[in-house]
Amino acid sequence: MLNFLLRRILAGLATLLVALFLMYLLVDRAIDPLQDLLESTAPNKQQLIDARIDQLNLDTNVVVRFFQWFGNLLTGDFGIAWRSGQAVGDLLAHAIGSTLQLVTAATVLSLVVGVTVGIVSALRQYSGFDYGIIFLSFLLYSLPSFWVAVLLKQWAAIGFNDFLKDPVIAWSVIAGISALAGLFWSLAVGGRAARRWQVFGVAFAATFAMFTYLQLSGWWERPQIGPLLLLILAGGSAVAIAAVFAGVHNRRAMWTGLTTVGVGLALYLPMQVVFDSIDVNNWIIFGFAVLAMAVGFLIGRLYGGPDWGISARTGAAVAFITGGLIYVDQVMQVWPPYFRALSGRPIPTFGDRTPNLGGNYWVGVLDSFTHLLLPTATLVLIAFAAYTRYSRSSMLEVMSQDYIRTARAKGLPERAVVVRHGFRNTLIPLATIVPIDIITLIGGAVITEAVFARPGMGQLFVRSLEQAEIEPVMGYLLITATLAIIANIVADIVYASIDPRIRLDA
């Protein structure tokens, strides 16, 4: 492993140096810092041109200028954006922070949803659900991102803001949504006709009951999770996680998940007091998340048994979800003042924060979330289509292998065959795709950021090119190239950790 890392790091540094040199030559050739002056009609035009040539050192050979820039870079000096006078390091810090928020949310959501739906689609091959997912994934994959973004601005932002003026949903619409939910789950679960009708009825009733609760409780005016929804959502997650990864007959895992939910419910009110009495920040929230997962892991360990590891992992996953729901509930509690501060239109269509908003940590989190909502949805819809196709094709290939037939012949339940033998090997192709996709997004979802006027890496790159500022462009290229090299190394390591046949030091 150490030899592999050393070789790849040295090769990556050499590649980075060559790439930066070539890009510096190309960018210098592509931009013209004197263009605005050459088109000027000022009487002292030549003086202004000479002053800018001296300011930007343009009379020096481009190769010499590259090594001057690179030498400054080794000392930690990224340069200055000459038009604004701002330090490039500060510009990059703000841009990459905004982009990382977007990339993290979009990647996690698209991976979880896309891989899950793709695997279910493969397990229901040639069914109505499979055909529907294939059609949907091809449709979303072919749509231009700017068109999806514009539609979301119109219907998910402007339309929802208008809906909040009088948040009442017609009962016929609720019935239609419930019917679609019932149809989706009946096709996803599959089975005989009687079972499908049973699943349809349960899903229809659950969806209709949920929307009835939202309608009659005034949830749209004051959204919150509260103990009741916490019990339903966390309890349902506990049952689902235990059933999928341990089986419905593994009582220790099932009781671990339910006990973890009970502990979360018991701590719901005390955590409200804790959040109100301390100065909360992201590091404290991270610490609480780690502590919650440790408690869930401990609960699973205390239940014991020969397969206590499955119970412990189930407890940790359920604890993370339960803690996340409590965190979201705390954020929702500041919705009324936030709603009033934005004049009843809380879903923004541009930027990454509301200017001069004020408020505490929770208001800032809610404001960041509302600004992330539309651009994240845009990226998720596009990426979901790709990850669904990848995971479906990979799962179909894996489930046709000899070792899957052997596992079934040994009498293993279908759940164990799919989860323990199929799912892990399905992730192998994704291990090489996902890291590269993440770095591509960090490089800037240029079109999405442009539509939503989000000041991320892509916008910084485009704006710097338009203004003929080479230092910000090179800073952008340095970060994206470095992350691309790291992503390739990480992809190899993840690939080897998933597939034991791969040896990094071979």
Side-chain angles (χ1 to χ4, degrees):
M1 172 69 80
L2 187 60
N3 290 333
F4 166 79
L5 287 176
L6 185 60
R7 290 198 309 269
R8 291 299 300 271
I9 289 173
L10 291 176
L13 290 175
T15 303
L16 180 63
L17 178 60
V18 174
L20 289 177
F21 176 71
L22 294 177
M23 290 307 301
Y24 194 95
L25 298 181
L26 292 174
V27 173
D28 180 77
R29 183 74 174 175
I31 64 176
D32 185 5
L34 303 177
Q35 182 176 359
D36 59 325
L37 295 180
L38 293 174
E39 298 172 353
S40 172
T41 58
N44 59 341
K45 173 179 176 179
Q46 189 57 47
Q47 274 186 311
L48 294 174
I49 292 175
D50 294 339
R52 185 169 295 179
I53 290 175
D54 183 64
Q55 175 191 358
L56 302 180
N57 202 20
L58 297 179
D59 54 350
T60 303
N61 185 274
V62 62
V63 176
V64 176
R65 277 192 281 126
F66 166 77
F67 283 104
Q68 289 175 345
W69 172 82
F70 190 74
N72 294 332
L73 179 66
L74 295 178
T75 65
D77 182 10
F78 283 83
I80 300 293
W82 62 271
R83 286 194 186 272
S84 62
Q86 291 181 276
V88 174
D90 295 338
L91 293 174
L92 290 172
H94 178 74
I96 199 170
S98 178
T99 298
L100 278 176
Q101 286 182 334
L102 178 60
V103 168
T104 302
T107 302
V108 172
L109 287 174
S110 57
L111 264 179
V112 172
V113 178
V115 171
T116 302
V117 172
I119 289 176
V120 174
S121 179
L123 297 176
R124 301 283 179 269
Q125 188 181 19
Y126 302 135
S127 65
F129 180 83
D130 185 37
Y131 287 129
I133 293 301
I134 290 174
F135 172 77
L136 180 63
S137 61
F138 276 117
L139 175 65
L140 292 176
Y141 194 76
S142 63
L143 294 179
S145 59
F146 69 87
W147 190 72
V148 175
V150 171
L151 287 183
L152 286 175
K153 289 179 73 170
Q154 177 64 39
W155 298 107
I158 299 174
F160 185 73
N161 286 333
D162 292 339
F163 163 76
L164 290 179
K165 295 178 181 178
D166 184 21
V168 176
I169 304 176
W171 292 107
S172 58
V173 175
I174 294 178
I177 295 174
S178 302
L180 289 176
L183 178 62
F184 173 84
W185 285 111
S186 64
L187 292 175
V189 173
R192 296 185 177 182
R195 185 186 182 190
R196 290 184 181 180
W197 279 110
Q198 183 182 17
V199 172
F200 177 87
V202 172
F204 179 91
T207 306
F208 195 89
M210 181 188 70
F211 275 95
T212 300
Y213 169 78
L214 298 179
Q215 186 99 305
L216 299 180
S217 64
W219 192 88
W220 300 110
E221 290 88 351
R222 189 179 179 85
Q224 59 179 335
I225 294 178
L228 178 60
L229 283 181
L230 178 64
L231 174 62
I232 295 173
L233 295 175
S237 300
V239 173
I241 291 173
V244 171
F245 293 101
V248 294
H249 301 295
N250 191 325
R251 296 190 176 184
R252 285 190 174 91
M254 190 67 70
W255 280 110
T256 295
L258 296 176
T259 303
T260 303
V261 173
V263 172
L265 282 171
L267 293 175
Y268 174 78
L269 291 178
M271 288 306 300
Q272 310 297 312
V273 178
V274 171
F275 286 142
D276 291 337
S277 60
I278 63 175
D279 187 13
V280 183
N281 55 50
N282 288 329
W283 288 109
I284 292 178
I285 296 300
F286 177 78
F288 277 131
V290 173
L291 180 61
M293 295 177 66
V295 170
F297 188 91
L298 179 61
I299 291 173
R301 183 66 182 91
L302 292 176
Y303 270 102
D307 55 351
W308 66 267
I310 296 178
S311 300
R313 290 191 292 271
T314 299
V318 173
F320 180 79
I321 293 174
T322 305
L325 290 172
I326 294 174
Y327 175 78
V328 171
D329 179 79
Q330 185 68 24
V331 174
M332 285 181 171
Q333 292 181 18
V334 300
W335 177 267
Y338 181 78
F339 184 81
R340 292 190 297 269
L342 273 70
S343 303
R345 304 191 69 82
I347 307 301
T349 57
F350 63 91
D352 64 346
R353 67 189 63 180
T354 302
N356 306 316
L357 178 63
N360 58 13
Y361 168 82
W362 303 107
V363 175
V365 171
L366 180 58
D367 187 54
S368 296
F369 171 77
T370 56
H371 281 85
L372 277 171
L373 192 60
L374 296 183
T376 299
T378 302
L379 295 179
V380 166
L381 288 174
I382 304 300
F384 160 82
Y387 290 145
T388 299
R389 302 300 301 149
Y390 290 141
S391 58
R392 180 185 181 276
S393 60
S394 180
M395 191 69 175
L396 287 175
E397 181 180 357
V398 167
M399 295 304 289
S400 64
Q401 298 298 314
D402 291 339
Y403 59 82
I404 297 294
R405 286 191 287 271
T406 302
R408 285 171 172 158
K410 288 164 60 178
L412 289 178
E414 188 65 16
R415 180 202 57 80
V417 172
V418 172
V419 175
R420 297 188 179 182
H421 297 276
F423 178 69
R424 180 187 178 97
N425 292 290
T426 299
L427 297 179
I428 292 177
L430 291 175
T432 58
I433 296 170
V434 174
I436 307 302
D437 285 351
I438 293 174
I439 300 310
T440 301
L441 288 176
I442 289 178
V446 179
I447 296 176
T448 303
E449 289 179 355
V451 173
F452 294 106
R454 190 171 179 88
M457 292 288 286
Q459 284 294 90
L460 174 65
F461 176 72
V462 172
R463 186 176 64 252
S464 299
L465 277 180
E466 290 175 347
Q467 297 179 350
E469 295 177 314
I470 193 170
E471 282 82 4
V473 174
M474 291 306 300
Y476 164 88
L477 294 172
L478 169 68
I479 290 178
T480 52
T482 302
L483 291 177
I485 292 170
I486 294 174
N488 279 280
I489 298 175
V490 170
D492 288 340
I493 295 174
V494 173
Y495 195 96
S497 65
I498 294 177
D499 190 347
R501 297 171 297 178
I502 304 299
R503 295 291 182 267
L504 295 177
D505 292 328

